[in-house]
């Protein structure tokens, strides 16, 4: 599969944003986070792990975006379709891009919109943001959800990358029997599973969680302990592996040596709930409708919590499958289905799959598990 996107893909994203900006009365969008900047530019680097430098992209209501970035990123940004790249020597404790950014914004004009909805954040010091606002002498507003709404609906090219990541994880899950057995510490299983993901083609593995125990596991976010697997345990591995900047996010449960009736019943119930969620995930349905289809099977009422979420350039993004999320599903949205059940007080089993909403039934991006709990 080809990496990156055709320039036409970025042009289409910018045009859609600019149409929405014009309707909202915005003269520019200021973007400061990795996924927002990458969405419009293709600027892909792991250098974002360093918090030392701020990065800025200005999307004008007409014309091409302008990158205002530290000089260390000029060469890489120059390989993208962006031609207007303005830099400063960063980090600069006295003026870390403030003057350059304010000057550029005044040149482009306002009002300036900044993403301010759920999951948004400003990746620059608050004091510097206030200095930019004052120096620009422009009107500042929220972005009316424009950036998030655009990213929520994926193109076929984006969906293909998520599917590629899902395929990589699927092949690694198929090899768990090579690395997991009674007596193997869970921490070693985690390390070796990351190795399998990389062998199968993942670019990197930013997220891996899981657990093990005869009556399930306590949560789905813990790092691995050094406790060894034991015969009769149920092992869960949940991965967010990345290919070309796009995540998969799904898990698999395995019985170690043998499965118990309770474990098998939990697996069957999880798959039943997942299939119900899949059936409900049609265009025009709401996120809460999909939640309800699964919650009615796994129980727990609103206490069941979030049973899935949006997926794409980030491990979780956009909508949440909860009782209160009214987001309407649209073709092109990629979501996870993630029901959970209790096996014992304080112990659970969770199952997760990835799908994309289409004009009809959703398309599976992960190869769905069956109700039979695999034994390793």
């Amino acid at each position: 599969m080809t990496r990156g996107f055709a320039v036409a893909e970025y042009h289409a994203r910018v045009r859609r944003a600019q149409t929405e900006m014009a309707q909202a009365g915005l003269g520019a969008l200021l973007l400061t986070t990795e996924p927002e900047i990458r969405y419009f530019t293709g600027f892909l680097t792991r250098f974002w792990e360093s918090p030392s430098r701020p990065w800025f992209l200005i999307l004008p209501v007409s014309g091409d975006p302008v990158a205002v970035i530290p000089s260390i990123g000029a060469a890489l940004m120059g390989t993208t379709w962006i031609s207007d790249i303005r830099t400063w020597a960063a980090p600069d404790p006295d003026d870390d891009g403030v003057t350059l950014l304010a000057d550029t914004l005044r040149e482009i004009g306002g009002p300036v919109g900044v993403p301010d909805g759920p999951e948004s954040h400003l990746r620059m010091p608050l004091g510097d943001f206030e200095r930019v606002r004052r120096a620009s002498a422009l009107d500042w507003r929220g972005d009316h959800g424009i950036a998030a709404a655009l990213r929520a609906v994926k193109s076929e090219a984006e969906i293909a990358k998520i599917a590629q990541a899902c395929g990589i994880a699927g092949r690694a899950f198929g090899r768990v029997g090579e690395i997991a057995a009674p007596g193997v510490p869970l921490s070693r299983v985690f390390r070796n599973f990351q190795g399998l993901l990389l062998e199968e083609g993942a670019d990197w593995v930013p997220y891996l969680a899981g657990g093990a125990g005869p009556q399930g596991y306590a949560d789905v976010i813990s790092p691995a302990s050094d406790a060894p697997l034991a015969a009769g345990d149920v092992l869960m591995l949940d991965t967010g592996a990345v290919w070309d900047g796009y995540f998969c996010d799904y898990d698999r449960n395995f019985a170690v040596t043998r499965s118990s009736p309770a474990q098998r019943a939990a697996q069957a119930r999880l798959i039943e709930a997942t299939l119900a969620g899949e059936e409900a995930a049609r265009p025009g349905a709401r996120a809460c409708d999909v939640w309800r289809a699964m919650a009615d099977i796994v129980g727990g009422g609103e206490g069941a919590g979030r049973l899935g979420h949006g997926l794409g350039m980030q491990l979780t993004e956009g909508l949440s499958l909860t009782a209160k999320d009214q987001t309407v599903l649209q073709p092109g949205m990629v979501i996870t289905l993630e029901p959970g059940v209790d096996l014992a007080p304080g112990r659970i089993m969770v199952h997760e799959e990835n799908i994309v909403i289409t004009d009809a039934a959703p398309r599976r991006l992960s190869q769905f598990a069956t109700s039979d709990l695999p034994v390793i």
Side-chain angles (χ1 to χ4, degrees):
M1 177 180 290
T2 303
R3 291 180 178 270
F5 296 101
V7 173
E9 173 97 4
Y10 297 110
H11 286 166
R13 296 175 185 181
V14 169
R15 285 195 299 270
R16 288 195 298 270
Q18 290 171 333
T19 298
E20 297 296 324
M21 290 167 62
Q23 293 175 354
L26 295 176
L29 285 184
L30 174 62
L31 306 172
T32 65
T33 69
E34 189 276 338
E36 292 165 347
I37 292 175
R38 176 159 52 96
Y39 181 76
F40 289 107
T41 66
F43 184 71
L44 176 60
T45 174
R46 297 196 71 182
F47 196 67
W48 290 88
E49 296 293 342
S50 168
S52 300
R53 300 167 175 87
W55 303 76
F56 309 112
L57 186 75
I58 303 170
L59 181 60
V61 72
S62 62
D64 292 341
V66 179
V68 182
I69 63 174
S71 55
I72 195 171
L76 181 58
M77 185 64 79
T79 66
T80 73
W81 75 285
I82 302 300
S83 59
D84 193 342
I85 304 169
R86 309 180 189 190
T87 68
W88 79 97
D92 182 340
D94 298 321
D95 186 351
D96 215 11
V98 168
T99 299
L100 181 59
L101 179 59
D103 289 347
T104 306
L105 285 166
R106 276 199 309 274
E107 175 187 327
I108 291 171
V112 182
V114 179
D116 63 346
E119 298 188 349
S120 67
H121 68 276
L122 188 69
R123 194 183 180 278
M124 65 183 298
L126 182 60
D128 283 358
F129 179 62
E130 292 300 330
R131 290 169 62 196
V132 169
R133 291 181 63 182
R134 290 194 300 269
S136 70
L138 296 171
D139 179 21
W140 290 73
R141 309 173 183 177
D143 80 331
H144 298 265
I146 291 171
L150 288 175
R151 288 181 50 212
V153 178
K154 275 67 178 178
S155 68
E156 283 301 323
E158 290 181 283
I159 294 165
K161 294 182 188 298
I162 301 170
Q164 180 85 347
C166 287
I168 289 166
R171 294 192 296 273
F173 279 129
R175 297 175 59 188
V176 166
E178 300 175 19
I179 62 170
V184 178
L186 184 60
S187 56
R188 187 188 305 170
V189 173
F190 271 43
R191 287 193 296 272
N192 289 344
F193 186 63
Q194 291 179 74
L196 292 179
L197 288 161
L198 295 173
E199 285 181 17
E200 293 297 341
D203 292 334
W204 59 84
V205 187
Y207 184 79
L208 180 60
Q215 299 184 79
Y217 26 88
D219 61 68
V220 295
I221 64 172
S222 292
S225 72
D226 291 325
L229 297 179
D233 281 351
V234 58
L235 164 69
M236 186 274 283
L237 295 170
D238 181 6
T239 184
V242 169
W243 190 84
D244 202 25
Y246 283 79
F247 277 86
C248 69
D249 179 24
Y250 66 104
D251 71 19
R252 288 294 179 263
N253 290 286
F254 304 89
V256 180
T257 304
R258 61 179 182 270
S259 62
S260 69
Q263 293 169 357
R264 293 193 296 272
Q267 173 77 0
R269 192 168 162 202
L270 288 170
I271 300 305
E272 179 186 0
T274 302
L275 294 176
E278 180 188 31
E279 179 63 28
R282 302 299 172 100
R286 300 167 300 171
C288 58
D289 299 328
V290 181
W291 174 88
R292 172 58 63 190
M294 293 186 286
D296 283 347
I297 294 171
V298 299
E302 291 192 16
R306 182 160 86 163
L307 302 183
H309 52 79
L311 174 68
M313 298 171 70
Q314 294 174 282
L315 181 75
T316 69
E317 60 180 42
L319 63 82
S320 294
L321 299 184
T322 65
K324 296 182 178 181
D325 194 320
Q326 301 287 319
T327 302
V328 176
L329 300 184
Q330 302 176 53
M333 287 182 170
V334 176
I335 66 172
T336 72
L337 304 171
E338 191 175 7
V341 295
D342 296 326
L343 266 74
R347 311 298 288 184
I348 61 174
M349 278 180 62
V350 174
H351 183 72
E352 188 172 20
E353 302 284 4
N354 300 162
I355 63 173
V356 59
I357 307 303
T358 74
D359 290 323
R363 186 163 82 243
R364 297 178 177 182
L365 299 180
S366 54
Q367 185 175 352
F368 274 36
T370 69
S371 58
D372 296 324
L373 181 63
V375 177
I376 56 174

